[in-house]
Amino acid sequence: MRVSGNIAIVTGASSDIGKGVAKRLVEEGASVILIARNLERLEQARDEIGNKELTASMPCDITDESQVMQTVNQIIDTHGKIDILVNNAGAINDPVHFHEMKQPDIEKLIGVNMFGIFHMTKAVLAKMTDAKKGAIVNIGSISGNRAIPRVHLAAYSSTKAAVAMFTKAIAVEYARKNIRCNCVSPGIINSGMIKPYLDDPHARKVIEERIPLVRIGEPRDVANAVLFLASEEANWITGVELNVDGGKTASEG
């Protein structure tokens, strides 16, 4: 069991990737606190994970710093420690030209993808620093280091680029505290808003043929990468951005 006895937090845990990450950590022995805004969806995720003993649901709006602090303190009161933080929660916009975006939509992206990660990381670091031990894994995107032609995601891509740089800065700043911070950047994953496109066999085939490994990624592919970086197997790895994209970034830049 690669993370047996660890206490882990997974944000955005009611999403496909969040559930996949939480399930993988549970399979390897971690107790996982699932965090998202909607309690009903969190409980559905727990049902799908299938292990009530090693999971707990805690509704929290990560854009609200006071809620985050209260949630993290409650976890410490209950479990006494936090070993792993997976900052998975994220927001994405419909692909529209940047000048057509409404200001509330831009602010939502920044609020969730940047301030949400800032709030959660800040609160957890205070506890990990006391323990002089911890692993943080941020979920970025290959869109954070490449612009996709005809897919208009300027604001989203900018927030994910910020996640990658934040990862490196935290990794270096807290390395002497024995706290590691890494980033997993998925490519095209069978999750969220892309699922309807993949239901069309022709559209799916077109996408697959542009990926060197010739298949769409699954949430478990992301979860396996997160598990490795969170485990002791990666205890000399920090500040890394790991693309989980079937080779797409390597083939297209």
Side-chain angles (χ1 to χ4, degrees), residues 186-205:
I188 299 170
I189 305 296
N190 184 20
S191 65
M193 58 189 294
I194 198 170
K195 276 185 170 181
Y197 295 98
L198 301 178
D199 289 338
D200 178 349
H202 174 71
R204 187 182 187 105
K205 190 171 189 304

Side-chain angles (χ1 to χ4, degrees), residues 13 29 31 34 43 57 91 106 108 139 150 180 189 199 217 232:
S31 295
L34 284 67
E43 286 300 301
S57 297
I106 295 173
K108 178 183 177 182
I139 304 300
R150 298 180 299 281
R180 298 182 298 105
I189 305 296
D199 289 338
E232 284 299 309

Side-chain angles (χ1 to χ4, degrees), residues 109-119 158-160 162-163 166:
L109 290 174
I110 295 171
V112 176
N113 295 352
M114 293 176 62
F115 281 111
I117 288 181
F118 289 176
H119 295 332
S158 298
T159 63
K160 289 301 186 177
V163 170
F166 180 66

